[in-house]
Amino acid sequence: MSLLSIKSLSLTLGGQPILRGIDLEVEKGEVIGVIGPNGSGKTTLFNVLSGFLKPTHGKIHFKQTDMTGMAASERARIGIGRVFQNFGVFREMTLEENVLVALEALPKEQRLVLGDLKKAVHSTLKLVHLEDHAKKKANSLSGGQMRLLEIARTLVSGKELFLLDEPTAGVSPKMTGQIADLILTLKKEGKTVLIIEHDLPFIQKICDRVIVLDVGEIALQGKPDDVRHNGKLKELYFGADPTD
Ligand SMILES: Nc1ncnc2c1ncn2[C@@H]1O[C@H](COP(=O)(O)OP(=O)(O)O)[C@@H](O)[C@H]1O
Ligand SMILES: [Mg+2]
């Protein structure tokens, strides 16, 4: 079975179908882009995967375990990392302290494997190119740097599946490049990433596969190049060409 297996997933809210029969198998180490017009259900899908919303129908398995009825905290414990926009970071703490808090929250056995926590903090900050800012408070970071710090915290907290909702929104082109590099580093380390993103060149650079949601259904999926050049993509965006 795949790392993440989603079967016939549906969600109805207030009589309104929001997700409709989603089937998706995600293999370990895959980076999958989730695109689609505004309101098509992308964020809702992440809410269902991370346990903030319970599906009306369907099953979700993660590492062979049925997690359909699991609470969000339990899903986090088994390795699902939702990266929130400017939410997970402690703004009044330094970057070092932010990473250290995530490391100290690990179960003791995992902490022991890391050895010297100070070194682990340093190598984590280095991985996201923030080592020069180690002593600064998180609230002095740019939006893009904050995003990198959040991904780093998710990484050191031992998560295996990363759910990233528009990580490049409002971020400079340089920072967008660094986020892309970091996602490719995660992939190399065997992590699995689902990423909601509007920026198609970004998606093409980092994703193995793209799924396109439209009114709560997977309307199109495939390799990034094939999806980008599929005529149906333009139709889905109601004439607004996302490749412009
Ligand atoms: N808590 C909720 N209650 C009712 N409707 C919701 C709720 N959350 C989202 N929706 C609706 O679900 C649809 C999908 O929203 P969303 O997942 O945020 O879309 P996307 O992230 O693709 O822009 C929208 O029509 C939105 O209005
Ligand atoms: Mg959204």
Side-chain angles (χ1 to χ4, degrees):
M1 203 191 251
S2 325
L3 179 82
L4 176 73
S5 168
I6 303 173
K7 289 223 159 66
S8 309
L9 190 75
S10 297
L11 174 74
T12 302
L13 289 172
Q16 197 71 18
I18 309 288
L19 297 176
R20 302 186 300 157
I22 294 192
D23 289 304
L24 184 66
E25 299 291 319
V26 181
E27 305 301 329
K28 183 178 186 299
E30 266 196 301
V31 178
I32 297 190
V34 181
I35 66 173
N38 277 336
S40 57
K42 304 179 296 293
T43 299
T44 304
L45 175 63
F46 277 19
N47 282 333
V48 172
L49 293 177
S50 51
F52 293 107
L53 287 171
K54 293 280 177 286
T56 314
H57 290 290
K59 289 269 176 227
I60 311 166
H61 284 80
F62 180 65
K63 295 193 288 186
Q64 330 267 350
T65 302
D66 185 350
M67 66 164 195
T68 317
M70 272 187 195
S73 56
E74 179 71 357
R75 294 182 201 215
R77 202 187 57 75
I78 64 170
I80 303 208
R82 174 90 179 260
V83 181
F84 288 94
Q85 291 178 10
N86 306 332
F87 181 81
V89 163
F90 299 105
R91 305 173 73 91
E92 290 300 319
M93 289 189 189
T94 66
L95 273 60
E96 270 178 350
E97 287 163 346
N98 264 283
V99 176
L100 192 60
V101 166
L103 289 173
E104 284 175 340
L106 287 172
K108 199 174 170 197
E109 320 81 68
Q110 288 179 38
R111 236 182 310 143
L112 289 177
V113 174
L114 290 169
D116 186 344
L117 284 191
K118 269 202 167 150
K119 276 192 190 145
V121 168
H122 183 75
S123 60
T124 303
L125 288 175
K126 204 164 168 187
L127 181 71
V128 293
H129 309 291
L130 290 174
E131 69 272 27
D132 295 340
H133 305 280
K135 306 276 182 212
K136 288 187 193 162
K137 277 192 182 178
N139 64 14
S140 68
L141 297 179
S142 71
Q145 290 171 322
M146 195 90 86
R147 226 58 67 79
L148 288 172
L149 179 61
E150 289 188 1
I151 298 172
R153 279 172 43 85
T154 307
L155 177 64
V156 297
S157 63
K159 301 293 189 279
E160 293 170 57
L161 174 67
F162 288 65
L163 303 173
L164 304 172
D165 194 344
E166 301 188 30
T168 71
V171 163
S172 72
K174 181 182 167 214
M175 230 10 105
T176 298
Q178 289 196 358
I179 293 173
D181 290 345
L182 178 56
I183 292 169
L184 293 173
T185 304
L186 293 179
K187 180 182 170 66
K188 264 190 220 138
E189 298 200 352
K191 307 294 181 189
T192 308
V193 181
L194 291 188
I195 178 166
I196 297 173
E197 190 52 72
H198 289 296
D199 181 343
L200 280 190
F202 180 86
I203 288 278
Q204 274 182 302
K205 183 173 170 192
I206 62 164
C207 291
D208 302 303
R209 203 149 48 105
V210 177
I211 66 165
V212 188
L213 286 189
D214 182 43
V215 286
E217 274 180 328
I218 297 183
L220 190 62
Q221 62 175 311
K223 292 210 164 73
D225 280 346
D226 297 341
V227 167
R228 187 168 180 175
H229 297 114
N230 190 311
K232 201 171 170 191
L233 187 67
K234 281 189 189 176
E235 284 171 36
L236 292 174
Y237 279 84
F238 305 111
D241 187 349
T243 61
D244 283 344

